Each structure stands twice: as structure tokens, then as C-alpha cells.
Amino acid sequence: VTDGLTALVAGAGAGDRGAVARLVTVLERGGPPASEVAGLLPSATPATQIVGVTGAPGAGKSTLIGRMLEVLVADGRRPAVLAVDPSSSLTGGAVLGDRVRLQDGAASSAYVRSMATRGQQGGLAAAVPSTLRLLAHAGFDPVIIETTGVGQAEVDIAGEADTTVLVTAPGWGDGIQAIKAGLLELADVLVVNKADLPGAADVRRELDGMLDLGRISGLADRVGSPRAAVVMTDARQGRGADALIDAVDAHRAWLESSGHGASHRARRAEIEASALVTARVRDAVDRVLSGPAGRGIVGGLADGSVTPATAADRILTALPGVLHGA
Amino acid sequence: VTDGLTALVAGAGAGDRGAVARLVTVLERGGPPASEVAGLLPSATPATQIVGVTGAPGAGKSTLIGRMLEVLVADGRRPAVLAVDPSSSLTGGAVLGDRVRLQDGAASSAYVRSMATRGQQGGLAAAVPSTLRLLAHAGFDPVIIETTGVGQAEVDIAGEADTTVLVTAPGWGDGIQAIKAGLLELADVLVVNKADLPGAADVRRELDGMLDLGRISGLADRVGSPRAAVVMTDARQGRGADALIDAVDAHRAWLESSGHGASHRARRAEIEASALVTARVRDAVDRVLSGPAGRGIVGGLADGSVTPATAADRILTALPGVLHGA
């Protein structure tokens, strides 16, 4: 297996899209092969900007991302999209990425991939940061990560991304919702999509007002950050995507000049290291529970003679042998 | 600390609501005190039914739960609600539970509590199952757990609950959405709330049709389960809550007569044991990273000389000493 994975990682580094696709699948499935791929990938390169795009379902994220890809490809860049769809574990397949439509020209330069939690909870916590490093290794830049529902998903987009884009649309009170959820502190770029709909200008005014207010009161997480840009788009008609890319590029320039880009990369590496530890511990816990010590623990939990806390003690005692013996 | 926690757990067992409230806070904060509380709680009692209530925001879950509490209290029962609000880590406080309104009579017998992720990702994975055991220990039954967005949250309500209630409402295509998301397989009771609105009968017809279809094709997760009940409610006007409680009680009777209740409790205990292991490993990882070995790891991650996978190896090597030395 190792030889095959080493060759695939080398192939991905040379821009082989088939190799990239197979490695993403390995990372998505988790387990020892995923840890092995993570071990073969180099550290994140400074060049790559990770752009998180989030917002409520129906705000038009996927259409907007399709337009962003067109602008980026027309600029001669090689963007990638990783659509993380935690809810689709129930349907057995990811759907977010399927909605990103590419023009013929963009399809050959851009790479779009969905990831879903296929197994247990937390499965994507390690897979997503490793996949971001893989896509950077394969020369994609920027790498756009799309999720629904900031703060609800197990993948914390604001923790992963260098630049966070929050997409709202008029008519749902999304602007207000975003503010209530504290998202304003997380967003580097705010998009009012469906700008052709009535009320779009009101949403913009409202967001601008809140941003100015936040600037005065000093939002904790944004100390030293530039005020978030607000961009109007009409993704269906293709309007505003260029202005959005300009705003994302301006944030990138600030990240690198201020040194915040380096601290984002360091934080992302720490998150990934912790997630890899958790993933390997989980695999080891499964091995403990399916081994001879596990039978007594599982039986005791079932008949109530062993409490969950006692079971946790016993698993932790057996863990080092399993972790370091394998 | 231990003496205080032991006294609180004893107090909770005697029905002291103040003790319950303080212990939930300890569990919510996590860390060693939470593990200690989990260790002091007895195994789950067969008597307690865990009822998961979920559905899209705006379907009227909180109002409906308020009505369920009124019916339960009028029956002389002592229900509790645990509202899990993963998104409110951003606002620093839980909001779901605040929306459950209680009549004066219900307020003295029912217990309502919100929980939010205050710290890192995954913090509630252990806290929620431990809290469910705490509420059962304090004599509450049923314990209703409310979440938004099945499959997206880190707390998997269908894994935790004995009986899963999915709340829909006409007008949003929620019925269809639920089916798309595969929720039909998870729901034991389907509620069409806002039954006064136009289209409610259509939603019901649609859900019934899908359920009958699923019955023929044999939905994988529901083999051996009774067909889900569909209940029409108008929570604002207080209509249908009694029928909903009847459906929940009927499911409970089936759980106990079929033996599925016991397997639910066993699965919940396993989920909690695994989550407690993960929580303690996370605490240990934090200690490794803030210790002498951690400086080299964190520095190497920051300057790119150490990859996340290598960092994970080093943390795993240091882990047993920290886990078992403390």
C-alpha cells in the first residue's frame, strides 16, 4: 500500500488530477491509510490561500462559487473547491459539490470535489485539513472550502480558512441572522447575493451599519483585522464575482503583509495534528473494543454493571499497548 | 473538589434542582471535573425514555416542546428538556432552551436546560450523554433532547435518543427536504406542525406516501421497527400535543416489549464511553503541547519544519506518560 500511496502523492505533486482524486478518497475513508497519506504530504506552502465560503442553505453559495471559478480561471489561476457536506452522511453521498456548475473552459483548470462524513462522527475533522494540504501540494490556489452552517458543522471553517466569505441573500432576514449568530466577527468578506431582489440594498446598509458599530466597539476576534468588505453579487446573472475575487485578493495581500497568513497556517497545522491524534486514538479504541478486553467492557455497558466512565478508564489503560504495538 | 461533586450528585439523585443545574454546568465545561462527575453517576436506568426532537429552524420545535411539557406535567410526570445548541458557541450562550416557554404549573415540575459548545469542537460529544444520565438519575422522565439540523450537529441525536421526533411544517418544502436528507429512516414520530396553515394536509399525505413506500422497500435502519406515526399539531394553539405524547408513549411501549430499548441504552453507553476517552485524550494532548515537548512541536508546525503527521506521531509517543502520570 505504502508504495502505491507514495507514487500517488508524487503524481498529485506533478498535477495529476486522477492521483488527487484517489488520495482525497483515501483521506475521506480515514483509518491507517489516511494517516499514511497525511504523513507523506509536505507542510503547507505559504503560497496557497484557503478561502472558506459559508452561509445558510439557499443563499446561492454553489452558484456563486461557480462564478468565482470562472473569474479565477480567466485570470490564469488554478482554483480548487472542497465542498464539505456533513449532513449527507444520511444520503450516502455529498451533494454540495455537485451543485457547483462549471463552464467548459473552467472545467479543465479548476478542480471540484465533495467530501462527506461516511463513517463515525468526527471523521472529517482530520480529513479536511489533510485534503487542503493535498490540494495545495497539487498546485491549486486558491483552495475554496464550502460548508453550510458555520459553527454547527464538525469542520470549523473559520478555523481552517485564511479568508472567510459569508454569503447572505435578501428576504430571509439572513443579514440579521448572521449577526445574531456572531458570524460578523468571523467574516472577512460579506456577500449580499441575489442583489437583484428587493431588499438587497437594505441588507447591505444593515451589514455596513453593524460593521461600523463593531469597529467602534472592537470585536474581540477582529482586533488588528481590516473591516470586512461588503460585496453585492447576482451569481445567477454572473454579476459581482470579479469584485468578490478582488476583495478576496485584497484580504490575501493583507494576510501576507501583516504576518497573519503565517499564524493562520500554524494554527491550521496544529488543528490537523490534534485531529490526526484523535483519529488514531479512535482507531485504537475500536481495536480495544473488538479485542479480548473489549468483550467484558461492551457486555458490562450493555447490562449496566459497568458505567461509561469505568469503561473509559479501562479503555485508556489498554490504549498504549494497542497504539504503540500496531 | 471531589467531595463537593459527590454531594452534588447525591443531591441531584434526591431531586435537588440546584444540584442538577450546577452539575450540568460542570459537564458542559468539560475537563477533569466533567470526567469525575461522569464517574460518579450510575449507569442509565431502564425507566427513562430519551426523546430526541429535531427539525429545521422555524418549524416550531420550541413551542411544541413547551406544549409537550404541559401535557406531561398534567399527567403527573416529571419531564426534562436538554436543548443542545451547537451554533451558539459564537454568541457565548445557548438560545434554543430559552425559547421553550412554560406555563406556571409546568415550570415547577419540568426542568429545561440549554447546553452550548463553549470550548473546542467536540466538547459536547461527551457532555450530552453524561447529562442525559444525570437527568435520569435525578428522576426526570422522559428526557427530551432538542437539536437543530440532524446530521450536521456534532451531537448525533438519532444515536442518543430512544425515540426520534422529526418536526416539519408546511410551506417550506420541509417534508420533501426531510426525505431527501434520509431523515425518514431515523424518525419514529413525524410531526406536521402549524397544521392550521394551507398545505398541511398535503405534507401529511406526502409523508404517509413515502412511509408506505419505505415500508415496501424495507428501509435499512428501520427493519423490525413499527412504521413511524404521523401527528398533526398546531403548537401555538396547543392542538395535537396530547396525540404527540400518545405516539411517543406508544413507541416507548414497543421499545421495551421488543428489547430495542435495552440495545439503545447499550449503544448510548458505548457512545459515551468513547466520547469520555476522546475528551481525556484531548486534555492530555493539550498538556503535551503546553509542556516541554510541546514547544518543539508547535514551533516546528509554525515554521513548516514539522508536518502535522510528524507532530501527531510525537504527541502520541508522549501521550501515555501524560495520560497515566496525571
Side-chain angles (χ1 to χ4, degrees):
Chain A
V1 179
T2 308
D3 282 357
L5 293 177
T6 305
L8 283 175
V9 170
D16 174 353
R17 299 160 70 98
V20 171
R22 286 165 67 187
L23 288 169
V24 176
T25 302
V26 173
L27 291 170
E28 188 178 38
R29 282 186 190 147
S35 298
E36 203 174 325
V37 170
L40 292 167
L41 291 170
S43 293
T45 55
T48 310
Q49 182 185 21
I50 310 293
V51 179
V53 175
T54 191
K61 289 186 298 297
S62 297
T63 309
L64 185 65
I65 288 172
R67 297 299 188 171
M68 291 169 75
L69 293 182
E70 289 167 25
V71 173
L72 290 163
V73 168
D75 282 354
R77 291 152 83 177
R78 291 183 60 224
V81 177
L82 182 65
V84 180
D85 208 348
S87 63
S88 61
S89 60
L90 299 169
T91 51
V95 294
L96 273 179
D98 302 342
R99 293 201 292 256
V100 175
R101 302 248 173 274
L102 292 178
Q103 301 261 339
D104 292 345
S108 57
S109 305
Y111 180 82
V112 178
R113 171 72 187 231
S114 285
M115 269 186 133
T117 312
R118 301 204 184 277
Q120 58 193 344
Q121 295 261 321
L124 287 182
V128 167
S130 297
T131 302
L132 295 175
R133 275 199 301 135
L134 167 65
L135 294 171
H137 172 60
F140 293 106
D141 183 19
V143 175
I144 296 171
I145 170 168
E146 177 188 10
T147 62
T148 319
V150 171
Q152 295 199 25
E154 63 183 80
V155 175
D156 174 17
I157 197 171
E160 301 290 353
D162 295 309
T163 304
T164 299
V165 176
L166 175 64
V167 184
T168 66
W172 289 7
D174 277 78
I176 315 272
Q177 290 285 4
I179 291 151
K180 273 194 189 152
L183 293 183
L184 213 57
E185 300 173 41
L186 302 178
D188 302 302
V189 179
L190 285 156
V191 173
V192 183
N193 193 27
K194 306 188 181 179
D196 55 317
L197 292 185
D202 294 337
V203 174
R204 183 193 184 127
R205 208 168 11 250
E206 194 176 14
L207 290 173
D208 274 326
M210 297 304 265
L211 286 169
D212 290 337
L213 202 68
R215 192 158 187 77
I216 295 162
S217 64
L219 293 172
D221 278 9
R222 296 196 57 82
V223 171
S225 301
R227 177 189 184 284
V230 182
V231 180
M232 309 290 279
T233 61
D234 177 358
R236 261 195 228 187
Q237 300 298 323
R239 294 193 192 105
D242 44 358
L244 172 54
I245 296 296
D246 286 347
V248 168
D249 286 344
H251 189 254
R252 173 193 211 134
W254 172 79
L255 281 169
E256 294 311 326
S257 66
S258 67
H260 279 75
S263 62
H264 272 279
R265 279 186 293 278
R267 182 173 61 170
R268 199 150 55 224
E270 276 189 54
I271 291 173
E272 183 180 353
S274 289
L276 288 169
V277 169
T278 304
R280 283 169 62 180
V281 168
R282 259 199 198 117
D283 290 341
V285 169
D286 287 346
R287 264 176 286 153
V288 169
L289 288 178
S290 59
R295 258 185 293 276
I297 297 171
V298 171
L301 286 170
D303 67 21
S305 63
V306 173
T307 69
T310 305
D313 284 337
R314 292 199 198 163
I315 293 168
L316 282 166
T317 304
L319 211 51
V322 174
L323 263 175
H324 300 289
Chain B
V1 179
T2 308
D3 282 356
L5 293 177
T6 305
L8 282 175
V9 170
D16 174 354
R17 300 160 68 97
V20 171
R22 286 165 68 186
L23 289 169
V24 176
T25 302
V26 172
L27 290 171
E28 187 177 41
R29 283 187 188 145
S35 297
E36 203 174 323
V37 170
L40 292 167
L41 291 169
S43 293
T45 54
T48 310
Q49 182 185 22
I50 310 294
V51 179
V53 176
T54 191
K61 289 185 297 297
S62 298
T63 310
L64 186 65
I65 288 171
R67 296 300 187 171
M68 290 169 76
L69 294 182
E70 289 167 26
V71 174
L72 290 163
V73 168
D75 281 355
R77 291 152 83 177
R78 291 183 61 224
V81 177
L82 182 64
V84 180
D85 208 348
S87 63
S88 60
S89 59
L90 298 169
T91 51
V95 294
L96 273 179
D98 301 343
R99 293 199 293 255
V100 174
R101 303 246 173 278
L102 291 178
Q103 302 260 339
D104 292 347
S108 58
S109 305
Y111 181 81
V112 178
R113 171 72 186 233
S114 286
M115 269 187 133
T117 312
R118 302 206 181 274
Q120 57 193 343
Q121 295 262 320
L124 288 182
V128 167
S130 297
T131 303
L132 295 175
R133 274 199 299 137
L134 167 65
L135 294 171
H137 172 60
F140 294 106
D141 184 17
V143 176
I144 297 171
I145 170 168
E146 176 189 11
T147 63
T148 320
V150 170
Q152 295 199 27
E154 62 182 83
V155 177
D156 174 17
I157 196 172
E160 302 290 352
D162 295 310
T163 303
T164 300
V165 177
L166 175 65
V167 184
T168 67
W172 291 6
D174 278 79
I176 315 272
Q177 291 285 6
I179 291 152
K180 274 195 188 152
L183 293 182
L184 212 55
E185 300 174 41
L186 303 178
D188 302 303
V189 179
L190 285 156
V191 174
V192 182
N193 193 28
K194 307 188 182 181
D196 56 316
L197 292 185
D202 294 336
V203 174
R204 185 194 182 127
R205 207 168 10 247
E206 193 174 16
L207 290 173
D208 273 326
M210 297 303 264
L211 286 169
D212 290 336
L213 202 66
R215 192 156 187 76
I216 295 162
S217 65
L219 293 171
D221 279 11
R222 296 196 58 82
V223 171
S225 302
R227 179 190 182 284
V230 182
V231 179
M232 309 290 281
T233 62
D234 177 359
R236 262 194 227 185
Q237 301 298 323
R239 293 196 192 104
D242 44 359
L244 173 54
I245 295 296
D246 286 345
V248 167
D249 286 344
H251 189 254
R252 174 193 210 133
W254 172 78
L255 282 170
E256 295 310 327
S257 66
S258 67
H260 279 74
S263 61
H264 273 279
R265 281 186 292 277
R267 182 172 60 170
R268 201 151 54 224
E270 277 189 54
I271 291 173
E272 183 180 355
S274 288
L276 288 169
V277 169
T278 304
R280 284 169 61 181
V281 168
R282 258 197 199 118
D283 290 342
V285 169
D286 287 348
R287 267 178 283 152
V288 169
L289 288 177
S290 59
R295 257 185 293 277
I297 297 172
V298 171
L301 285 170
D303 66 22
S305 64
V306 173
T307 69
T310 305
D313 283 336
R314 292 200 198 161
I315 293 168
L316 283 166
T317 304
L319 212 52
V322 173
L323 263 175
H324 300 287

